[in-house]
């Protein structure tokens, strides 16, 4: 599925994006307040997306499952303001979300996202970032009693950042981060 400045491919059985790819133009980054709230992508049937039922507090466990942006909301926000706002809004499709434990999403994974975007911004670099879950057969099931459940929650996510430096040379860095 193509969105503004990013694309993704869905895994039919797991109802999650198996990969995402976003282009970042470090010298054209903008601010955007666009936050339309999470919504399903109407190009895909609801039962083929992981929707709101999987997210929230896990009853009796003290765990919060966040909607983890696979393409970070700020990454595709560049170009003219109208396009930048559309790109930010596009990241709020459930097709771009993955179940992530709150601390992992907001701190561990969030710090990695900050590192990549700050480097692109500070150095005015072009970056392509590819991200996705590592889907294992033994990922735990969650939400057997919830509408649309159960879901298998990925234990790990990968990210590859390809930087194009101002001199034209490239730098590639890859990460695997677990949410155990």
């Amino acid at each position: 599925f193509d969105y503004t400045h990013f694309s993704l491919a869905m895994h039919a059985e797991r109802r999650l994006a198996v990969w995402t790819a976003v282009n970042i133009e470090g010298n054209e980054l903008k601010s955007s307040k666009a936050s339309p709230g999470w919504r399903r992508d109407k190009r895909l049937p609801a039962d083929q997306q992981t929707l709101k039922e999987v997210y929230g507090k896990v009853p009796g466990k003290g765990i919060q499952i966040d909607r983890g942006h696979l393409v970070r909301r700020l990454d595709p926000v560049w170009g003219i303001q109208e396009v930048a706002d559309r790109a930010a809004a596009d990241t709020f499709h459930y097709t771009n979300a993955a179940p992530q434990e709150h601390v992992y999403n907001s701190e561990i994974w969030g710090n990695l996202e900050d590192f990549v975007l700050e480097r692109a911004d500070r150095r005015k670099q072009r970056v392509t970032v590819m991200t996705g879950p590592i889907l294992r057969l033994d990922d735990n099931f969650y939400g057997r009693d919830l509408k649309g459940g159960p879901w298998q929650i990925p234990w790990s996510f990968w990210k590859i950042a390809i930087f194009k430096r101002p001199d034209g040379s490239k730098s590639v860095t890859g990460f695997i981060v677990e949410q155990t």
Side-chain angles (χ1 to χ4, degrees), residues 159-175:
K159 184 177 292 289
I160 298 170
I162 305 154
F163 292 87
K164 183 175 182 185
R165 298 181 183 117
D167 69 2
S169 65
K170 294 174 183 66
S171 171
V172 179
T173 307
F175 305 88

Side-chain angles (χ1 to χ4, degrees), residues 119-139:
R119 184 170 173 193
D121 186 21
R122 187 174 60 250
R123 298 184 181 177
K124 305 299 182 202
Q125 294 177 326
R126 288 182 165 174
V127 185
T128 296
V129 179
M130 296 174 284
T131 304
I134 296 175
L135 303 177
R136 296 183 176 101
L137 294 175
D138 65 345
D139 284 336

Side-chain angles (χ1 to χ4, degrees), residues 144-165:
R144 293 183 193 280
D145 300 330
L146 297 174
K147 177 184 170 190
W151 300 270
Q152 276 186 288
I153 306 294
W155 282 106
S156 307
F157 292 85
W158 57 270
K159 184 177 292 289
I160 298 170
I162 305 154
F163 292 87
K164 183 175 182 185
R165 298 181 183 117

Side-chain angles (χ1 to χ4, degrees), residues 71-82:
V71 169
R72 185 181 188 187
R73 185 186 73 79
L74 301 174
D75 287 356
V77 181
W78 52 270
I80 64 171
Q81 193 64 52
E82 177 184 343

